[in-house]
Amino acid sequence: MMARKIIIDTDPGQDDAVAILLALASPELEVLGLTCVAGNVPLDLTARNARIICELADRRQMPVYAGCDAPLSRKLVTAEHVHGKTGLDGPTLPDPTMPLQDTHAVDFIIDTLRIQDTGSVTLCPLGPLTNIAAAFERAPDIIDRVQQIVLMGGAYFEVGNITPTAEFNIYVDPEAAKIVFAAGAPLVVLPLDVTHKALTTQPRVDAFRAMGTDVGRAVADWTGFFERFDKEKYGSAGAPLHDPCVIAYLLQPDLFSGRDINVEIETASDLTLGMTVADWWRVTDRPANALFIGDVDADGFFALLIERLARL
């Protein structure tokens, strides 16, 4: 089978880093490029971090593009309180030497979808949806060319992690999320309901370190750093690996289960701004616009992750 072509839109973030490494370790996926957006940390750091991750995986030829440095119409909210000042706090890794591409990330997304065969490119947003929404707004002709959008964002049963009702990626740029969710492209959503079941318990972190590789040590150090926040906040045994769920879904969708439902984005309320209003129980007549994932086989997820990362 031919490898599935993907663009990873990202704001690294330790969990973004693990997702990118998983994709780069998987021959079933052809990563056409990494597009960076402001989110967990400002754009200059997300673009830097994406290149650090590529060099850690010895993929220095991977094109990395800087995109939008702020949400469509709001001030940027970041998450250094979770990810540290650099976004990749934990291990000490060298500064990247590979170049950042001159092309803007939004232009790369538009150009790639126009050049590639219709229905052959999947978009994998791991952060705020600003770049994707900007591309759709600027070039609406590309929407029908998208094979699928598989994103990490939102919540239903787990409600919110940055406000009582909103997940971080959607909250940072709810207007962008509203555009993407309403666009009509095939959409798969990996919300907190799933990612909070994929926890980095101590045996799983130990398994990363036991690889004895630079990648294994980095992943163990990253998870060791950011899980302190979630353990204190939730009283859980570890931290959720949010973004790798996107890549794992592409590789082994049978690890996940969900429902085709309607999901709307709240943009007007101060109280519930950024909420993903997911009609899980189908109590409205609004048409389904997303496969909203509700569960994951966590053991299978980590088995996949450990097996693939050991290849790098």
Side-chain angles (χ1 to χ4, degrees):
M1 291 179 60
M2 290 182 61
R4 183 172 184 169
K5 296 177 180 178
I6 68 172
I7 295 172
I8 299 177
D9 190 65
T10 181
D11 62 337
Q14 291 93 345
D15 57 322
D16 302 70
V18 179
I20 292 165
L21 291 171
L22 177 59
L24 296 179
S26 299
E28 303 97 319
L29 303 176
E30 179 185 352
V31 184
L32 301 178
L34 304 181
T35 53
C36 301
V37 67
N40 285 323
V41 287
L43 180 66
D44 60 334
L45 288 174
T46 63
R48 172 183 180 272
N49 292 347
R51 289 175 288 153
I52 288 174
I53 297 158
C54 290
E55 292 190 2
L56 177 64
D58 198 23
R59 293 290 293 274
R60 289 171 173 80
Q61 301 307 312
M62 176 61 59
V64 177
Y65 303 85
C68 298
D69 63 0
L72 295 181
S73 59
R74 297 180 184 272
K75 290 184 178 179
L76 177 63
V77 175
T78 55
E80 288 91 347
H81 61 290
V82 178
H83 298 281
K85 265 194 263 189
T86 70
L88 284 185
D89 282 19
T92 301
L93 296 171
D95 289 337
T97 58
M98 59 187 281
L100 192 63
Q101 301 298 307
D102 293 332
T103 303
H104 192 281
V106 172
D107 293 321
F108 169 73
I109 292 169
I110 293 170
D111 293 344
T112 302
L113 285 168
R114 284 176 172 168
I115 291 168
Q116 297 289 335
D117 291 342
T118 297
S120 67
V121 177
T122 294
L123 302 178
C124 300
L126 309 180
L129 290 164
T130 315
N131 284 341
I132 309 301
F136 285 0
E137 288 282 273
R138 189 183 306 172
D141 60 286
I142 68 173
I143 297 171
D144 289 340
R145 303 184 67 84
V146 175
Q147 179 180 3
Q148 199 173 41
I149 301 171
V150 183
L151 66 87
M152 190 276 132
Y156 178 65
F157 294 100
E158 288 288 317
V159 290
N161 64 353
I162 188 68
T163 76
T165 59
E167 179 274 331
F168 177 81
N169 286 344
I170 306 298
Y171 178 78
V172 169
D173 198 343
E175 284 77 17
K178 191 176 185 73
I179 289 167
V180 172
F181 275 71
L187 182 61
V188 180
V189 180
L190 284 297
L192 298 182
D193 307 289
V194 170
T195 66
H196 280 184
K197 297 171 183 174
L199 298 178
T200 59
T201 59
Q202 191 59 52
R204 290 166 177 167
V205 175
D206 290 344
F208 292 135
R209 197 173 301 281
M211 293 175 189
T213 63
D214 289 343
V215 166
R217 285 185 288 272
V219 171
D221 287 347
W222 281 329
T223 54
F225 176 85
F226 79 82
E227 72 178 3
R228 88 218 180 281
F229 176 82
D230 290 272
K231 284 180 175 179
E232 181 177 342
K233 182 177 182 179
Y234 299 110
S236 57
L241 275 183
H242 305 285
D243 295 330
C245 288
V246 167
I247 307 302
Y249 176 84
L250 296 178
L251 297 171
Q252 289 190 19
D254 57 326
L255 293 174
F256 300 85
S257 60
R259 295 183 182 184
D260 289 302
I261 62 170
N262 178 268
V263 183
E264 304 291 336
I265 309 299
E266 178 57 58
T267 60
S269 167
D270 290 337
L271 191 62
T272 58
L273 180 68
M275 184 178 184
T276 45
V277 183
D279 188 9
W280 183 260
W281 302 114
R282 303 188 179 113
V283 296
T284 75
D285 58 2
R286 293 191 291 266
N289 62 346
L291 174 57
F292 199 81
I293 303 298
D295 204 2
V296 60
D297 173 355
D299 288 337
F301 167 78
F302 275 95
L304 171 66
L305 196 56
I306 289 164
E307 186 270 325
R308 292 303 172 93
L309 295 185
R311 300 179 180 187
L312 295 175

